[in-house]
């Protein structure tokens, strides 16, 4: 149990830093927070690929719970979407929601096909 907790923590450290680097490197595109879109799409693909394979045990905890749990960011997506709506950017609000949902579902489907 202790080793699993440590691995989740290590994965969380890695995922949080990757999220910082990836989302910070990608600028907004037409008011859409593309960095958040990118990490959610990448995270959806990696989690689906991991789920559709036979990876088990502590490595799975480290990657799925730890790394991807801190890498993907639904709370940031929700906040950024709300800010767009609050700023009167209704079109960009809907685009952001649609892009996040469709790209993440497509990433899961792509992982399913590949694996």
């Amino acid at each position: 149990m202790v080793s699993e907790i440590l691995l989740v923590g290590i994965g969380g450290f890695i995922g949080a830093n990757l999220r910082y680097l990836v989302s910070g490197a990608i600028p907004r595109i037409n008011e859409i927070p593309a960095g958040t879109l990118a990490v959610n799409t990448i995270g959806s693909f990696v989690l689906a690929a991991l789920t559709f394979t036979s990876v088990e045990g502590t490595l799975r905890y480290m990657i799925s719970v730890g790394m991807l749990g801190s890498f993907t960011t639904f709370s940031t997506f929700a906040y950024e979407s709300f800010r767009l709506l609050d700023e009167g950017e209704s079109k960009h609000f809907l685009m952001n929601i649609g892009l996040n949902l469709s790209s993440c579902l497509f990433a899961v489907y792509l992982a399913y096909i590949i694996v």
Side-chain angles (χ1 to χ4, degrees):
M1 175 82 164
V2 172
S3 64
E4 290 173 350
I5 292 171
L6 288 174
L7 286 172
V8 168
I10 291 167
F13 175 80
I14 293 167
N17 284 287
L18 284 173
R19 174 181 165 199
Y20 173 77
L21 294 171
V22 172
S23 65
I26 302 172
R28 286 179 170 263
I29 299 173
N30 292 328
E31 298 302 316
I32 303 297
T36 302
L37 175 62
V39 297
N40 285 336
T41 303
I42 293 166
S44 294
F45 177 84
V46 174
L47 181 62
L50 183 67
T51 301
F52 296 134
T53 64
S54 59
V55 175
E56 293 293 330
T58 55
L59 181 61
R60 188 175 199 150
Y61 287 119
M62 181 178 154
I63 296 171
S64 65
V65 177
M67 191 176 89
L68 294 175
S70 63
F71 180 69
T72 61
T73 172
F74 188 81
S75 58
T76 301
F77 158 70
Y79 171 76
E80 290 171 340
S81 296
F82 175 80
R83 291 298 306 159
L84 288 169
L85 187 61
D86 189 50
E87 293 167 0
E89 297 286 345
S90 300
K91 177 180 144 190
H92 293 113
F93 164 77
L94 292 172
M95 285 175 56
N96 189 49
I97 290 172
L99 283 169
N100 269 278
L101 181 60
S102 61
S103 68
C104 291
L105 286 172
F106 179 73
V108 169
Y109 174 73
L110 189 61
Y112 177 75
I113 297 300
I114 291 172
V115 174

